[in-house]
Amino acid sequence: MTFHPAIFKAYDIRGVVPTTLNEGVAEALGLAFGAHALAQGERVVAVGRDGRLSGPSLAAALIRGLVAAGIEVIDIGQATTPMLYFAASTLCQSGIEVTGSHNPKDYNGFKMVLGGRAIYGDEIQGLYRAMADGTAQRRPGGSVRHADVLANYTARIVGDVKLARPMKIVVDCGNGVAGASAPAIFRALGCEVTELFSAVDGHFPNHHPDPSKPENLRDLIAALQGSDAELGLAFDGDGDRLGIVTKDGNNIYPDRQMVLFAQDVLSRVPGGTIVFDVKCSQRLAPAIQAAGGTPLMYKTGHSLIKARMKEVHSPLGGEMSGHIFFKERWFGFDDGTYAGCRLLEILSRAPDANAVLNALPTSHSTPELNVVCEEGEPHRVTALLQAAAASHFQAPAVVNSVDGVRVDWPDGFGLVRASNTTPVLVLRFEGQTADALHRIEAAMLALLHSVKPDAQVQASAH
């Protein structure tokens, strides 16, 4: 059969069911991944799936392919992506989650871990080549056993996180798979929980499970204002990202969350290196330094951040997209539920949780913006931008090209980078004042238009 190369993304495999992704793709992936795993000495692979309607049939096909490759499969059934990562950290070292994450309901895909590391980039392209060539060998010895990891996952979190006082919270799971586990875990910590949309439903009948979009937080904000709860938490479709809303309706974006998490982690790991992506606020690095840590800005992408954290032995990492990675006291993978628990642990020490959150450093900033491009064009444009930026900007501007072009001024920053998942340029601007924001935005757009005159800036699609 033929496979659509466009579904093989930088960090995962993702497509529309059944047009570009179907059971044939899933089974072929199982065979190719299984052969690749065996070549690396990995015989056991855990498989989980989120709450999407196509999940059961795709997971069954994936498992057929893995078994045909000679793999011992541990089927954990319906579970969040972090629960799959937990299985691949405690029961074995490799795993695949069948998930469409925060994408529209007709999407699905696969997030993969091999030998304790997320696979991405060239390794995913290698799986595509093996599938397209049909070179993966079938071997005897494959098997399937079932395991329920929820009890051990819950016990591990509840044994680690301790609240200084009970807290009242509202939790919106958006009918994603976190609804089957997160509310009960918060109750086990001692929280009083008001639930919104916990029933797992792949139709997503209430709103889309993507807390990075303000429109998906409206129900949570309304529920908070109509109750005596202190705080609102929201999860994405597969439970690896967390949204936080204060009592007065403020969305605490992930780079501000990272200030709080870094201060806490560095109190126990003095001098630790904290990794964050180029989309994060200029306020984050000084806050890490003030807490006694070493800030390290790196490329956007959850697989890339995790790999960099391993290289520098980082206790904590995070991205503006909402992926937060705790290595201190945890396994180093991104987990919305665990991040929520760590947040509550910190806030429970203060009499007013909202005062702590609202005191976090803030700036004037744009939401994520996109420039739609032709396939393959974004990386060509960013290469031109990197070549032009050094001569385009004068001191005190500082140009960083670790991922696209990020230019920092004393009062803000601008970013243009190529998305690794869709053919768009990603733009973000921040200023310590509204005037600084407008000046920086104009300067960065002038640079962009000098290499791409037809660039049209619009709101991010997702």
Side-chain angles (χ1 to χ4, degrees):
M1 63 181 293
T2 56
F3 304 100
H4 293 262
I7 70 174
F8 296 85
K9 309 289 186 183
Y11 320 120
D12 54 29
I13 296 170
R14 205 178 329 139
V16 177
V17 180
T19 48
T20 62
L21 196 153
N22 53 39
E23 291 176 37
V25 174
E27 188 166 349
L29 173 65
L31 188 61
F33 184 93
H36 186 49
L38 285 172
Q40 309 258 329
E42 291 289 316
R43 291 199 57 82
V44 186
V45 176
V47 173
R49 55 180 166 81
D50 71 11
R52 285 169 186 264
L53 303 176
S54 57
S57 61
L58 289 175
L62 176 71
I63 289 169
R64 284 196 301 272
L66 288 165
V67 170
I71 291 291
E72 298 169 32
V73 175
I74 303 174
D75 181 3
I76 68 166
Q78 184 174 273
T80 64
T81 294
M83 285 167 65
L84 183 277
Y85 292 157
F86 179 80
S89 301
T90 57
L91 301 178
C92 57
Q93 294 190 91
S94 301
I96 304 176
E97 174 82 353
V98 181
T99 175
S101 189
H102 62 281
N103 288 282
K105 64 184 180 182
D106 54 343
Y107 277 72
N108 217 326
F110 308 93
K111 291 182 179 178
M112 297 166 284
V113 177
L114 180 61
R117 59 186 175 78
I119 70 168
Y120 60 93
D122 291 343
E123 209 164 357
I124 289 178
Q125 293 305 312
L127 290 174
Y128 165 63
R129 288 191 294 273
M131 291 165 66
D133 297 345
T135 53
Q137 278 189 290
R138 295 175 179 269
R139 295 177 185 270
S143 62
V144 185
R145 66 182 173 93
H146 296 269
D148 184 349
V149 301
L150 179 57
N152 287 341
Y153 173 76
T154 301
R156 175 66 176 77
I157 294 176
V158 174
D160 173 72
V161 177
K162 302 299 176 190
L163 302 193
R165 61 179 177 84
M167 296 186 71
K168 290 186 178 181
I169 61 173
V170 181
V171 175
D172 183 347
C173 294
N175 301 109
V177 72
S181 55
I185 290 171
F186 292 124
R187 288 195 179 98
L189 286 182
C191 293
E192 186 177 314
V193 181
T194 299
E195 297 183 45
L196 297 180
F197 319 131
S198 293
V200 180
D201 184 345
H203 293 289
F204 305 127
N206 294 288
H207 63 74
H208 201 62
D210 182 1
S212 68
K213 293 293 184 190
E215 63 268 23
N216 296 325
L217 299 173
R218 289 182 196 135
D219 295 312
L220 183 58
I221 291 168
L224 267 176
Q225 292 170 347
S227 76
D228 60 350
E230 296 178 71
L231 194 67
L233 303 179
F235 296 95
D236 73 338
D238 64 332
D240 59 7
R241 293 187 297 137
L242 171 71
I244 302 171
V245 175
T246 63
K247 180 73 174 173
D248 49 0
N250 286 329
N251 183 358
I252 305 298
Y253 284 99
D255 50 359
R256 295 180 77 200
Q257 298 172 28
M258 280 292 291
V259 172
L260 200 62
F261 290 139
Q263 290 168 343
D264 179 59
V265 168
L266 290 166
S267 71
R268 293 179 298 276
V269 190
T273 299
I274 309 299
V275 183
F276 55 92
D277 79 319
V278 293
K279 291 197 273 186
C280 285
S281 170
Q282 191 182 61
R283 305 268 193 179
L284 178 54
I288 291 168
Q289 289 171 320
T294 303
L296 177 59
M297 186 164 66
Y298 197 57
K299 299 173 183 178
T300 292
H302 66 91
S303 301
L304 305 177
I305 295 283
K306 276 183 271 203
R308 190 72 176 121
M309 284 177 67
K310 280 193 172 184
E311 289 170 7
V312 299
H313 307 290
S314 169
L316 174 71
E319 309 191 274
M320 193 63 195
S321 62
H323 295 273
I324 307 287
F325 316 87
F326 288 93
K327 181 61 177 172
E328 189 247 2
R329 295 166 46 187
W330 194 240
F331 299 92
F333 57 72
D334 36 336
D335 186 336
T337 299
Y338 183 73
C341 292
R342 288 285 288 259
L343 174 83
L344 296 174
E345 181 181 70
I346 296 166
L347 296 178
S348 72
R349 299 174 194 146
D352 186 344
N354 288 275
V356 175
L357 292 172
N358 287 324
L360 293 168
T362 187
S363 296
H364 297 262
S365 62
T366 61
E368 186 171 303
L369 303 169
N370 286 169
V371 172
V372 176
C373 298
E374 298 295 321
E375 196 73 49
E377 186 185 14
H379 289 283
R380 290 197 299 274
V381 170
T382 52
L384 293 170
L385 291 171
Q386 287 170 338
S391 58
H392 188 92
F393 297 110
Q394 310 303 316
V398 178
V399 178
N400 184 313
S401 57
V402 68
D403 184 2
V405 173
R406 173 168 163 150
V407 185
D408 279 79
W409 286 266
D411 56 355
F413 82 90
L415 171 72
V416 183
R417 60 176 290 275
S419 168
N420 286 317
T421 54
T422 50
V424 299
L425 293 168
V426 176
L427 286 63
R428 186 160 190 258
F429 310 113
E430 174 185 273
Q432 293 179 15
T433 65
D435 286 347
L437 172 63
H438 293 139
R439 187 194 81 243
I440 289 165
E441 186 168 359
M444 294 298 291
L445 290 177
L447 172 67
L448 175 60
H449 285 126
S450 73
V451 302
K452 184 173 168 57
D454 62 344
Q456 299 279 325
V457 179
Q458 59 192 51
S460 170
H462 58 258

